[in-house]
Amino acid sequence: MKTMEKKNIISALFVSLSIMATSCSDYLDEKLKSELAPDNTYTNSYGFETGSAGMYAIARAEYNTWGSTAFMHSAACPYESQQIATDLAVMGTKDGSIQPFGYCTLTSNTGIVTSTWKWAYSLIAAANEILAYAEKCTNWDKPTDQANYMAEARFFRAYAYRTLVYLYGDVPYVDKIQEKIHTDFTRTPKTEVIQHMIDDLKYASENLPIDPDNVSKVGKLTKWAAEHLLSEVYLMNGDNANAEKSALNVINCGYFRLMSNRFGVEKNKPGDVFSDLFKEYNQNRTSGNMESIWVMQFEYQTKGGGDAYDDWTRRAWEPKYFEIQGFTLADTLGGRGLCQLVPLKWWIGDNTGFFDANDIRNSEYNIKRNWYYNNPKTPNLLGKRCEITDETWFTTYRLYPALVKFFYGKADNLTYTGTNRDRMKFRLAETYLLLAEARLNKGDKTGASEALNVVRRRAHASEISSEQITMDVILDERIRELVGEESRRFTLCRTGKLLERCRKYNTEAGPLIQDYHVLWPIPQEVIDSNTSTEFPQNVGY
């Protein structure tokens, strides 16, 4: 498994390395003779299952920092780059890799700008390889295997192009194995790339398994993951009728429902159903969770389960409480956070009116507002409440309201950096919010409020009337429900709200963000290596 993943990494990087035209041409031209070369691997269903695992591994490593798995950004804050300079947060710990995004100073040489491009084309290359060999293979265990592996590949190819289009706009569309180094890539119009994504996802929807309880392995893609993503991509394309249709396909399929009763490993402990969604081991259907549509698989101290560098979401959001006298590291307090994303007061502060009084998403089980000293070495403080102040929140970044959904710590290793909990990528609550967005864009305010209110009812929040609903209302609801789960930059760019809401709410990036920051720059390596034809840079860079 690990050897095959390494082979997939090498082949997957082929496209991005070709685009970069690095000095590794001799290496890239090498004829692989080992038993794991594609000609020897992709000869039967088992070989394609191994290759499929490589695609899942690359996808799972989307925000990997310095890890040893399928891909790495070699930087601390790839996840944070999708959340900062939005309406959500300012920088606390100002790691060098997040500052260009928080201060809106990113350039074509910014590390994460380049590594994100490479990650996406790595996944695309892995998908293209499977597609090419699947067309030629005739030795399948089951008649449906060929279409199933091609459907997985086409899903992941669309998933990768989703990132590229959101961040860079027009990008080269590559759907074949690149047999040689190219220096003549051109930028495919965004609308054309999106149409290819739609075609891929329609194929995936038609050929992935239908029954999520009858898949070969936990975490495998189904038809409904493709339909969920297809709804979003239709929204990107301005096709609101089909976005509504795809969202309804998921909602009405009968396999999923919003969880409304306590479930899972801690259902008999203090909490609520929303907090249950984020408890370790509660993300998959095997736990009783009927809300998750696609879950990336991680497991602590398990080979192939990710490592300390894969998911730093908790480190991003949680405060450095342990640096305050009277506190010590504790898994019940979220473990070792690094406060790289400090939430803005307008949505998470007390008495702002952002949450209804009875909204469980604002309960102490989901947003920790009360912090009590826990260090027995300071008995004079032990058990007393530590007050959150403007200084602890926005000056020292040591204490502020924290998102419990990202709490993660291990008693055997309290300084552990990662979060090896399965990650819900798509869940039904978001499908309802995509439906609300599609209906609002169509002018169907009644239908939009109906979709939104399904999510609010589960949260015990008051209902929104058709007269009240706007895109800002939907975006606010996405914060309450999906903060930190979604790539906020993607959502705000899709809805055309990035500049407006950043300028309105973000005290740090708001005064700095310019119109051209809706896109990232094209990596300079790409432009410099594309010597045979012009490869224009995005405006402003």
Side-chain angles (χ1 to χ4, degrees):
M1 172 74 174
K2 289 297 181 184
T3 305
M4 185 58 199
E5 284 185 8
K6 183 176 180 182
K7 193 283 306 177
N8 267 282
I9 300 160
I10 294 170
S11 63
L13 282 169
F14 193 92
V15 168
S16 57
L17 290 172
S18 296
I19 294 175
M20 303 308 166
T22 68
S23 60
C24 301
S25 59
D26 290 343
Y27 168 70
L28 292 173
D29 291 339
E30 179 184 353
K31 301 298 183 182
L32 295 176
K33 299 298 185 182
S34 80
E35 62 182 14
L36 292 176
D39 286 338
N40 296 327
T41 300
Y42 294 126
T43 59
N44 53 34
S45 295
Y46 177 78
F48 280 92
E49 179 59 23
T50 308
S52 168
M55 284 193 301
Y56 281 90
I58 296 170
R60 187 181 64 187
E62 183 172 4
Y63 300 124
N64 183 281
T65 53
W66 289 282
S68 57
T69 53
F71 182 88
M72 65 200 74
H73 288 271
S74 298
C77 301
Y79 162 83
E80 292 86 330
S81 69
Q82 307 300 335
Q83 310 293 336
I84 203 68
T86 67
D87 51 3
L88 293 181
V90 295
M91 291 181 292
T93 299
K94 293 175 174 59
D95 187 281
S97 64
I98 196 177
Q99 288 188 41
F101 303 93
Y103 291 140
C104 301
T105 57
L106 67 165
T107 72
S108 58
N109 291 309
T110 299
I112 291 173
V113 167
T114 300
S115 62
T116 301
W117 177 284
K118 290 182 178 181
W119 168 83
Y121 279 108
S122 297
L123 185 53
I124 290 163
N128 287 341
E129 183 178 85
I130 284 180
L131 288 166
Y133 281 91
E135 290 280 6
K136 298 185 288 186
C137 182
T138 58
N139 183 23
W140 302 101
D141 290 349
K142 294 183 293 186
T144 55
D145 280 357
Q146 181 185 40
N148 178 73
Y149 289 117
M150 293 180 71
E152 285 187 326
R154 294 185 72 166
F155 174 93
F156 281 122
R157 185 166 67 184
Y159 182 74
Y161 274 115
R162 166 184 179 250
T163 292
L164 290 168
V165 166
Y166 272 131
L167 295 181
Y168 307 97
D170 301 343
V171 294
Y173 185 75
V174 182
D175 63 353
K176 300 288 189 299
I177 294 176
Q178 302 301 292
E179 301 290 352
K180 61 180 181 178
I181 292 176
H182 284 270
T183 60
D184 58 351
F185 283 98
T186 58
R187 298 183 65 175
T188 307
K190 172 182 173 179
T191 53
E192 185 178 331
V193 176
I194 290 176
Q195 187 56 57
H196 287 305
M197 293 161 61
I198 290 169
D199 293 341
D200 277 349
L201 291 170
K202 287 169 70 174
Y203 181 91
S205 172
E206 292 164 1
N207 292 283
L208 285 169
I210 295 174
D211 184 353
D213 295 312
N214 190 29
V215 292
S216 60
K217 295 176 183 175
V218 173
K220 278 284 194 177
L221 292 166
T222 67
K223 171 185 179 71
W224 313 112
E227 287 283 351
H228 175 99
L229 185 54
L230 191 54
S231 178
E232 181 188 330
V233 174
Y234 276 131
L235 286 170
M236 294 170 69
N237 205 37
D239 187 347
N240 299 298
N242 275 317
E244 178 183 32
K245 181 180 177 181
S246 287
L248 286 172
N249 286 344
V250 179
I251 290 165
N252 295 330
C253 73
Y255 291 108
F256 307 99
R257 68 176 186 274
L258 294 188
M259 299 303 294
S260 55
N261 297 311
R262 298 293 307 279
F263 73 97
V265 294
E266 296 187 16
K267 66 180 180 181
N268 296 321
K269 295 183 179 181
D272 53 46
V273 68
F274 192 74
S275 68
D276 284 341
L277 290 168
F278 306 98
K279 298 296 184 185
E280 191 171 14
Y281 308 117
N282 276 11
Q283 286 67 58
N284 296 300
R285 293 175 70 85
T286 49
S287 71
N289 184 343
M290 299 293 107
E291 186 166 331
S292 292
I293 299 169
W294 179 32
V295 183
M296 285 184 170
Q297 302 298 299
F298 292 86
E299 182 110 13
Y300 181 59
Q301 290 187 335
T302 299
K303 186 176 181 180
D307 60 25
Y309 300 99
D310 268 310
D311 184 352
W312 279 12
T313 316
R314 181 252 306 159
R315 286 166 63 88
W317 285 105
E318 308 309 349
K320 285 188 176 183
Y321 64 90
F322 48 87
E323 293 189 355
I324 299 175
Q325 184 180 22
F327 281 100
T328 187
L329 278 171
D331 56 344
T332 55
L333 297 182
R336 183 170 171 258
L338 284 186
C339 61
Q340 291 156 331
L341 297 172
V342 177
L344 288 161
K345 189 177 287 189
W346 78 270
W347 67 269
I348 205 172
D350 291 328
N351 305 315
T352 63
F354 188 74
F355 290 94
D356 278 8
N358 296 320
D359 194 327
I360 63 174
R361 297 167 299 188
N362 192 41
S363 75
E364 182 69 12
Y365 306 116
N366 295 301
I367 298 179
K368 185 169 183 57
R369 303 176 186 279
N370 298 306
W371 294 81
Y372 298 91
Y373 296 109
N374 70 332
N375 194 341
K377 294 182 178 180
T378 53
N380 59 315
L381 293 174
L382 187 62
K384 294 181 180 179
R385 189 169 184 266
C386 183
E387 295 292 333
I388 295 173
T389 66
D390 282 347
E391 182 179 4
T392 69
W393 194 335
F394 293 112
T395 301
T396 66
Y397 312 112
R398 296 300 181 260
L399 208 66
Y400 45 80
L403 297 169
V404 179
K405 67 167 69 173
F406 298 127
F407 275 22
Y408 188 85
K410 289 296 181 182
D412 65 323
N413 187 356
L414 289 174
T415 62
Y416 188 70
T417 55
T419 304
N420 294 104
R421 176 176 58 215
D422 296 334
R423 184 194 301 156
M424 292 181 289
K425 290 296 293 185
F426 301 159
R427 59 184 178 92
L428 191 63
E430 184 180 20
T431 317
Y432 276 106
L433 296 175
L434 292 173
L435 176 62
E437 185 180 330
R439 286 176 168 174
L440 181 64
N441 287 340
K442 288 175 56 185
D444 179 8
K445 290 191 171 185
T446 299
S449 61
E450 287 174 353
L452 187 80
N453 286 330
V454 174
V455 177
R456 289 181 64 81
R457 281 194 292 272
R458 190 269 293 278
H460 303 166
S462 61
E463 297 196 4
I464 298 293
S465 71
S466 58
E467 290 78 20
Q468 293 172 306
I469 196 161
T470 63
M471 189 60 71
D472 285 311
V473 168
I474 293 173
L475 291 172
D476 287 353
E477 195 66 25
R478 289 184 71 99
I479 293 177
R480 298 182 189 98
E481 185 71 26
L482 300 168
V483 61
E485 298 174 67
E486 66 171 342
S487 290
R488 188 62 173 178
R489 165 173 277 272
F490 291 2
T491 298
L492 294 180
C493 286
R494 181 181 68 249
T495 56
K497 287 283 190 173
L498 175 65
L499 297 172
E500 175 188 333
R501 288 180 68 101
C502 180
R503 287 166 176 163
K504 180 177 181 180
Y505 294 118
N506 196 303
T507 54
E508 185 173 68
L512 304 173
I513 196 168
Q514 303 297 313
D515 290 0
Y516 65 85
H517 286 131
V518 295
L519 291 177
W520 285 4
I522 301 296
Q524 194 62 41
E525 293 180 37
V526 176
I527 294 173
D528 290 346
S529 64
N530 212 64
T531 57
S532 297
T533 189
E534 183 182 4
F535 201 102
Q537 179 58 274
N538 283 330
V539 173
Y541 298 102

